Amino acid sequence: MTITHPSERGYALDNVFVTTDWLADHINDPDIRVVDTDVPELYAEEHIPVAVNPVDHYYKTSLDDRTHIQVPEVFAQTMQDLGIGDDTLVIAYDRSGGVYSFRLMWALHYHGFTNVRFLDGGLQKWKSEGRKTTTEPVSRSGETHNNKGFTLKVNSEIFASRQRVLDSIDDDNVVLHRFAFHAPPPCLAGRPPAATSTGRLCRAPSARVNVVSSASSPATSLLTTNVTPVRLP
């Protein structure tokens, strides 16, 4: 199946993508850091030859404390351990149409680093074109381009704190939308994006808490249903 170029799909922003052809041409550029954003188990099965892999692709406080994202200083060290510094161009990919790659993109943007792109079509497209993969792990700890560290410039405007969400529940100018891997709980099922209510909380069978005034969609609703999924415009 022919996959159209990202610039031809009608995205509001198409400059966050790179194609597999582009990566193949630039894969050994000294300022490029390719990051496989899936779990280590999938990375160990196969990955793009130069790709590094984070220990925790949720970038949480620790593997035991899963509530908050890493504090800025720890996140900076996590990035430097992947070989990412101020002069690095990060290329992220996964096997889920960008679900985990865009998490890294958000985390980087939150910490003031915007030089990050997503590999369109992910590992599936890379493999479908007959390109090489490997099982050999890659370590680039401390190997940043031009020996630049990771400078923190936290952008709190793109972070929705608990209080910010609570303050937005009855604001008609704000849409609360939750994307998840599992189906929404009964109290959210079928709610339109603009739905509003009293701001109560409801609980899914898996014990996750959801804001009732939010809509909920599976993350896969943002993808095409091709064998090689890409983001919908």
Side-chain angles (χ1 to χ4, degrees):
M1 175 178 289
T2 301
I3 297 178
T4 59
H5 192 278
S7 63
E8 299 173 356
R9 295 184 203 145
Y11 296 128
L13 295 173
D14 59 24
N15 60 350
V16 299
F17 298 91
V18 298
T19 64
T20 48
D21 286 339
W22 184 95
L23 181 58
D25 289 341
H26 295 273
I27 196 165
N28 292 313
D29 288 5
D31 62 329
I32 298 291
R33 182 67 66 235
V34 181
V35 183
D36 184 317
T37 59
D38 271 311
V39 294
E41 291 80 5
L42 290 176
Y43 176 79
E45 290 179 4
E46 64 175 336
H47 53 270
I48 294 174
V50 300
V52 296
N53 180 240
V55 174
D56 176 13
H57 68 174
Y58 281 81
Y59 316 100
K60 294 299 182 73
T61 302
S62 72
L63 294 177
D64 297 315
D65 182 354
R66 312 302 293 158
T67 304
H68 301 291
I69 193 170
Q70 295 169 353
V71 297
E73 292 75 16
V74 174
F75 183 82
Q77 186 59 56
T78 297
M79 294 302 102
Q80 290 177 170
D81 288 346
L82 293 173
I84 296 171
D86 290 349
D87 288 350
T88 305
L89 171 59
V90 175
I91 309 298
Y93 76 88
D94 56 40
R95 299 150 183 79
S96 309
V99 170
Y100 297 111
S101 296
F102 283 105
R103 178 179 290 128
L104 173 60
M105 184 177 288
W106 177 87
L108 286 167
H109 276 251
Y110 173 67
H111 289 93
F113 183 100
T114 59
N115 200 19
V116 53
R117 306 291 184 269
F118 168 62
L119 179 63
D120 186 54
L123 187 64
Q124 293 98 318
K125 189 171 188 294
W126 181 267
K127 289 176 57 181
S128 73
E129 296 165 345
R131 305 184 194 274
K132 292 182 179 179
T133 62
T134 184
T135 60
E136 292 297 320
V138 177
S139 176
R140 292 291 183 264
S141 181
E143 299 179 22
T144 60
H145 187 52
N146 293 333
N147 294 315
K148 290 288 187 70
F150 186 90
T151 302
L152 293 165
K153 300 176 183 177
V154 174
N155 178 11
S156 59
E157 286 301 308
I158 66 171
F159 177 78
S161 66
R162 176 179 179 275
Q163 190 58 52
R164 187 172 181 179
V165 172
L166 290 173
D167 291 343
S168 301
I169 285 175
D170 295 318
D171 188 339
D172 292 339
N173 295 313
V174 177
V175 174
L176 301 177
H177 202 115
R178 174 180 179 275
F179 291 98
F181 282 110
H182 56 82
C187 53
L188 290 186
R191 297 185 66 86
T196 58
S197 71
T198 60
R200 294 179 293 107
L201 300 179
C202 68
R203 193 174 296 273
S206 60
R208 292 179 173 86
V209 174
N210 307 274
V211 180
V212 170
S213 60
S214 66
S216 183
S217 304
T220 52
S221 67
L222 299 175
L223 308 175
T224 63
T225 56
N226 305 339
V227 175
T228 302
V230 295
R231 310 295 289 188
L232 290 168

